[in-house]
Amino acid sequence: GENVEQHPSTLSVQEGDSAVIKCTYSDSASNYFPWYKQELGKRPQLIIDIRSNVGEKKDQRIAVTLNKTAKHFSLHITETQPEDSAVYFCAAGGYQKVTFGIGTKLQVIP
Amino acid sequence: DTGVSQDPRHKITKRGQNVTFRCDPISEHNRLYWYRQTLGQGPEFLTYFQNEAQLEKSRLLSDRFSAERPKGSFSTLEIQRTEQGDSAMYLCASRSNELAGGSYEQYFGPGTRLTVT
């Protein structure tokens, strides 16, 4: 089955700086890579996703890059704001299901 | 609010008791997933349904766990003879079969927090 590793487990950045979270996956058949944000006490919510026919996708301050050869993908958040503080999960899989990483707790310091 | 609801939101039970959780997905979603999440971990896949058919069950899921989706709408997850290690947040998610804009987005419910004493 798919195995997803995510790092770092915690990340602190100053407001306005960029944050980068990296994930690797094991199953070369995986073709769908979503990122979810989970605020304290709330449900995970999708913030961006990418499919394997695309190398990069951007949505305002958030971007995801994918390197299928190396089996890794990354989340980039620019101009971080305090409301970006949360736990971020990467996932990898396909049409049927995805496997989640353990999460990165991002703290944006005002 | 994503439109996925779960009941109850919290459950405290004694070791050895049976518990049942309910998930109501978004009405037009035919796929329904159950996950378990413990502190500091990501959602761990348990099982999923397409309509009323249970298509996959995690090997990590012991035979004390059973899930149903009898009419292809709501789903129940039952844990028999609960153990302290079952304490976790149980999340339900639903999604459409359709590929919407390239996304297989899963919409999560608020979860049921289970505490086994």
Side-chain angles (χ1 to χ4, degrees), chain A residues 56-100:
Chain A
E56 183 174 356
K57 184 176 177 181
K58 192 173 182 181
D59 182 4
Q60 300 183 340
R61 298 186 295 108
I62 293 173
V64 58
T65 58
L66 171 65
N67 182 328
K68 281 223 77 177
T69 304
K71 296 205 200 89
H72 65 72
F73 56 113
S74 301
L75 178 72
H76 304 253
I77 306 174
T78 59
E79 301 171 17
T80 53
Q81 301 168 2
E83 52 266 36
D84 294 330
S85 295
V87 178
Y88 291 81
F89 296 100
C90 65
Y95 178 72
Q96 303 293 347
K97 67 172 189 177
V98 293
T99 300
F100 286 84

Side-chain angles (χ1 to χ4, degrees), chain B residues 4-41:
Chain B
V4 180
S5 60
Q6 291 186 246
D7 184 70
R9 296 289 304 275
H10 303 272
K11 178 70 177 179
I12 300 174
T13 191
K14 292 186 177 179
R15 185 163 51 96
Q17 297 296 304
N18 299 344
V19 293
T20 300
F21 310 141
R22 176 178 170 128
C23 171
D24 285 89
I26 294 172
S27 59
E28 61 267 27
H29 284 181
N30 43 23
R31 283 183 174 253
L32 187 148
Y33 297 80
W34 284 100
Y35 294 91
R36 176 170 59 194
Q37 187 176 28
T38 53
L39 196 63
Q41 298 295 318

Side-chain angles (χ1 to χ4, degrees), chain A residues 3-81:
Chain A
N3 182 49
V4 177
E5 295 189 355
Q6 180 173 350
H7 57 95
S9 56
T10 60
L11 179 60
S12 291
V13 299
Q14 292 289 329
E15 181 177 358
D17 286 351
S18 295
V20 180
I21 302 170
K22 299 183 178 182
C23 289
T24 60
Y25 62 99
S26 61
D27 188 350
S28 56
S30 289
N31 59 11
Y32 176 61
F33 308 91
W35 287 86
Y36 283 79
K37 175 183 180 182
Q38 187 174 29
E39 297 178 37
L40 190 62
K42 295 191 177 180
R43 67 193 80 189
Q45 291 198 292
L46 182 76
I47 54 171
I48 195 167
D49 54 11
I50 192 169
R51 297 182 68 203
S52 59
N53 56 347
V54 176
E56 183 174 356
K57 184 176 177 181
K58 192 173 182 181
D59 182 4
Q60 300 183 340
R61 298 186 295 108
I62 293 173
V64 58
T65 58
L66 171 65
N67 182 328
K68 281 223 77 177
T69 304
K71 296 205 200 89
H72 65 72
F73 56 113
S74 301
L75 178 72
H76 304 253
I77 306 174
T78 59
E79 301 171 17
T80 53
Q81 301 168 2

